[in-house]
Structures are given as structure tokens and as C-alpha cells.
Amino acid sequence: NTSSGCAEDIDRIGGHKDRRMSFLRVALRRLRPGITAYRQTSAVISKNNTPAVTVWRTYSSSSAETDEEFDARWEAYFNRKDIDGWELRTGLNELYGHDLVPEPKIVAAMIRAARRLNDVALAIRILEAVKEKAAGSQEIYSHVIQEIRPVLDELGLETPEELGLA
């Protein structure tokens, strides 16, 4: 008696029927065709006795987001009046995961959101992160600071350099 796949093995061995396992089952079912195809292609041996490996590429059918749409989406996210600390940090982490320096208008929205939450330390940390994302380019960092200077003055904030932190 052979099982028909990994998800069924998990059900048979563990006997779990809760929601956490249903997520794993769905993930394994989606991976199963790729695993089966990999097993089939890796069994093929080429002329120089190395296993053949197939490379899959998947392409999204959705259209790419323009830079303006990207900026508008993040600016709107941080400008939400009901944003809480967790959502702010989640947005910061996701945005900083991208290979870019945020536009000054997005940085201003992030700092305003931190100030609305009365989190001055996070506002300063945002500026430190922007400097880090600029990868040592003083020109880029200076441009961002110059553009957001009115916001910093309005909120009574200083840059990390002015505070002696950098």
C-alpha cells in the first residue's frame, strides 16, 4: 500500500486535521508536480555522468507597477490616519526590503506616521535607515534630507548627525 503523496503521508502518520496542517497540505500539493518532474529529470544521466537538471521559470501575468504607482501606494500607506505601530514597522520592513532609496515624499510620510504614534526614536531610526539605504552616497542622503527639512522642522525633529548619532 503506497501513499499518493507527501501530504497524505503527513495525514497518515500524524493524524492531524487542524488548520495549520491544511496550509502545509496545500503547499505540498502545489509543490508535488515540480518535485515529481525534478525526480524524473534528475534520473537522466548526461554523457559526462552528471545528472541533468531542468530549470523552471514562471512569469507573472500581471502588469508591472510603475514608479509613480509604487510611490503613491507607499505614501498612501504611511499617510493613513489609523496606522498603528505594528503596521508602520511592517511597512518599513517591507519597503526596506526593496533595492531602492525611498523617495523624499515617502520618507516624509514615514516620519509623520512615526510622530503621530509619538515614536520619536523610530522617526530617527527611519532617517538612519535612509542613510544606510543610500549605501554611503552622501549626495543621495543630502538630497533626501534637503527635501524633507520642512517636515523635520514642522515636527521638531533633528537628523542623526545633528543629534551626534552619526
Side-chain angles (χ1 to χ4, degrees):
N1 185 357
T2 61
S3 68
S4 59
C6 296
E8 289 79 8
D9 288 342
I10 291 170
D11 285 342
R12 184 175 45 79
I13 294 168
H16 299 290
K17 296 292 181 188
D18 62 346
R19 292 181 191 183
R20 289 176 288 173
M21 293 305 293
S22 65
F23 173 76
L24 182 60
R25 258 186 254 116
V26 169
L28 287 173
R29 284 187 185 135
R30 289 185 181 177
L31 289 174
R32 190 179 311 143
I35 292 169
T36 304
Y38 176 75
R39 286 181 187 155
Q40 291 169 353
T41 58
S42 64
V44 176
I45 304 296
S46 65
K47 292 179 184 178
N48 60 0
N49 286 336
T50 58
V53 178
T54 303
V55 176
W56 287 281
R57 294 187 184 217
T58 56
Y59 297 95
S60 174
S61 62
S62 64
S63 62
E65 187 177 39
T66 66
D67 290 343
E68 291 78 22
E69 292 169 338
F70 179 86
D71 292 348
R73 178 170 58 95
W74 282 109
E75 188 177 12
Y77 180 85
F78 291 116
N79 279 333
R80 291 184 8 235
K81 299 298 180 200
D82 64 338
I83 195 168
D84 62 15
W86 185 86
E87 290 173 320
L88 176 58
R89 284 172 176 78
T90 300
L92 292 172
N93 283 330
E94 185 175 334
L95 182 60
Y96 289 146
H98 294 280
D99 186 24
L100 55 82
V101 177
E103 288 291 322
K105 62 185 178 181
I106 298 173
V107 175
M110 291 188 289
I111 291 172
R112 282 190 176 108
R115 242 354 225 137
R116 275 195 310 274
L117 296 171
N118 202 25
D119 196 340
V120 176
L122 183 59
I124 300 303
R125 181 65 186 123
I126 289 167
L127 295 174
E128 291 174 334
V130 169
K131 185 174 185 175
E132 185 178 311
K133 290 297 282 185
S137 172
Q138 190 61 36
E139 182 181 350
I140 294 172
Y141 180 66
S142 296
H143 169 72
V144 172
I145 294 298
Q146 177 185 352
E147 292 292 317
I148 66 168
R149 177 56 67 187
V151 174
L152 294 174
D153 293 340
E154 169 193 334
L155 300 175
L157 295 172
E158 296 179 338
T159 65
E161 294 77 20
E162 293 167 346
L163 293 171
L165 300 174

